[in-house]
C-alpha cells in the first residue's frame, strides 16, 4: 500500500469512527480533517463530496464485516452454535470497552434513505448479504426452513443492535442470543427472559 492509499484508508477509517460516535450528518468535514490531519482540499480531491466519502467508508466497512463473518462461518473447529454465537460475544466485548455506538448500516440508512440511494443501497445490501450468509450456513448444516429462520434470527439481532444503541443494557445480549439460537434450533422455552 503506497502513501496515498494509506492516507485514503486513514480518512475512511476515521470517518467511520466519527460517524459512529456523532452520526453521519453530525460529523462535519472539519471534524474529519481534525481527526485525520488531512486538509479539506485533499479529502475532496479523493472523495469529491462528504457523501462519497461516507459511501466509500460504508462499502469498505461492509466488506470487512462480511469477511470477518465469513472467517467465523468457515472455521471448521467451531460448531454451528459457536459460529452463530460469536457475534454476540463480539458485542459483549465492544460494550465492555465502550466501543459500540449502534449499527453503522442502520444509522446510515436512517440518515440517508431518502437523500442518497447509493448509501441506502450499500446498507440494504449489507443486511441482505448477512441474512443470506446465515441462510447458507444453516442450509449447509441441514437446518430446516433455513431461509425463514435466518430472517427471524437476524430480526432479533438487528433489534438487539438498535436497542443497545439506546439503552447500553448489556443484560439484553444473552437474552437476545438465547432467542436467536432458539429460533435456529427450534427450542421451545417457556422460561421468562
Amino acid at each position: 500500500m503506497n502513501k496515498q492509499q494509506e492516507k485514503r484508508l486513514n480518512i475512511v477509517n476515521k470517518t467511520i469512527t466519527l460517524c459512529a460516535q456523532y452520526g453521519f450528518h453530525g460529523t462535519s468535514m472539519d471534524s474529519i480533517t481534525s481527526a485525520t490531519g488531512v486538509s479539506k482540499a485533499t479529502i475532496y480531491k479523493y472523495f469529491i463530496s462528504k457523501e462519497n466519502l461516507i459511501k466509500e467508508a460504508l462499502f469498505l466497512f461492509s466488506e470487512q464485516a462480511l469477511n470477518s463473518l465469513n472467517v467465523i462461518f468457515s472455521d471448521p473447529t467451531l460448531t454451528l452454535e459457536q459460529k452463530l454465537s460469536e457475534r454476540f460475544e463480539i458485542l459483549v466485548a465492544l460494550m465492555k470497552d465502550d466501543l459500540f455506538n449502534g449499527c453503522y448500516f442502520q444509522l446510515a440508512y436512517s440518515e440517508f434513505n431518502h437523500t442518497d440511494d447509493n448509501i441506502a443501497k450499500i446498507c440494504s445490501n449489507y443486511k441482505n448479504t448477512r441474512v443470506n450468509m446465515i441462510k447458507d450456513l444453516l442450509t449447509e448444516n441441514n437446518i430446516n426452513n433455513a431461509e425463514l429462520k435466518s430472517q427471524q434470527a437476524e430480526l432479533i439481532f438487528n433489534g438487539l443492535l438498535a436497542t443497545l444503541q439506546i439503552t447500553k443494557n448489556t443484560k439484553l445480549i444473552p437474552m437476545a442470543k438465547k432467542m436467536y439460537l432458539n429460533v435456529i434450533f427450534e427450542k421451545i422455552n417457556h422460561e421468562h427472559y
Side-chain angles (χ1 to χ4, degrees):
M1 185 178 296
N2 66 33
K3 199 168 185 124
Q4 190 175 18
Q5 290 169 322
E6 284 179 24
K7 186 183 286 188
R8 188 179 175 93
L9 185 59
N10 178 47
I11 294 166
V12 167
N13 285 329
K14 295 283 189 199
T15 299
I16 282 291
T17 301
L18 290 169
C19 290
Q21 198 168 10
Y22 303 109
F24 292 91
H25 292 305
T27 300
S28 67
M29 289 303 282
D30 288 333
S31 62
I32 294 169
T33 60
S34 178
T36 60
V38 177
S39 72
K40 278 188 198 179
T42 301
I43 292 173
Y44 283 120
K45 178 181 132 192
Y46 288 144
F47 301 101
I48 302 170
S49 69
K50 180 180 168 187
E51 287 74 20
N52 281 342
L53 170 56
I54 289 169
K55 182 174 63 174
E56 190 163 325
L58 284 167
F59 183 78
L60 177 66
F61 189 75
S62 171
E63 283 186 333
Q64 292 170 345
L66 293 171
N67 286 339
S68 294
L69 194 57
N70 191 47
V71 167
I72 294 166
F73 285 1
S74 60
D75 185 340
T77 66
L78 298 176
T79 66
L80 176 59
E81 186 169 337
Q82 289 170 324
K83 290 174 183 181
L84 294 170
S85 297
E86 185 63 26
R87 292 187 309 158
F88 293 93
E89 304 312 316
I90 292 168
L91 265 179
V92 168
L94 290 172
M95 293 295 292
K96 181 180 173 209
D97 295 336
D98 200 27
L99 297 173
F100 180 77
N101 295 304
C103 174
Y104 299 138
F105 302 98
Q106 287 175 201
L107 293 169
Y109 189 85
S110 68
E111 290 189 41
F112 289 101
N113 69 331
H114 296 295
T115 59
D116 192 309
D117 290 341
N118 291 322
I119 290 175
K121 189 179 288 186
I122 289 169
C123 298
S124 295
N125 286 344
Y126 169 76
K127 294 286 187 174
N128 291 332
T129 300
R130 206 174 69 191
V131 170
N132 286 329
M133 288 175 73
I134 291 165
K135 179 189 72 162
D136 292 344
L137 179 67
L138 297 181
T139 301
E140 290 166 17
N141 284 274
N142 301 312
I143 300 293
N144 292 330
N145 300 316
E147 185 170 356
L148 176 63
K149 288 179 180 180
S150 63
Q151 292 170 352
Q152 291 172 330
E154 282 303 284
L155 185 61
I156 293 166
F157 192 78
N158 286 324
L160 174 64
L161 296 177
T163 303
L164 284 176
Q165 179 186 355
I166 296 166
T167 67
K168 306 287 187 197
N169 182 352
T170 57
K171 292 178 182 173
L172 298 175
I173 298 172
M175 182 190 312
K177 176 182 168 184
K178 187 175 185 180
M179 292 167 62
Y180 189 100
L181 294 174
N182 286 347
V183 163
I184 301 295
F185 297 110
E186 296 181 352
K187 295 178 184 173
I188 306 297
N189 192 336
H190 300 288
E191 179 181 318
H192 293 287
Y193 293 98

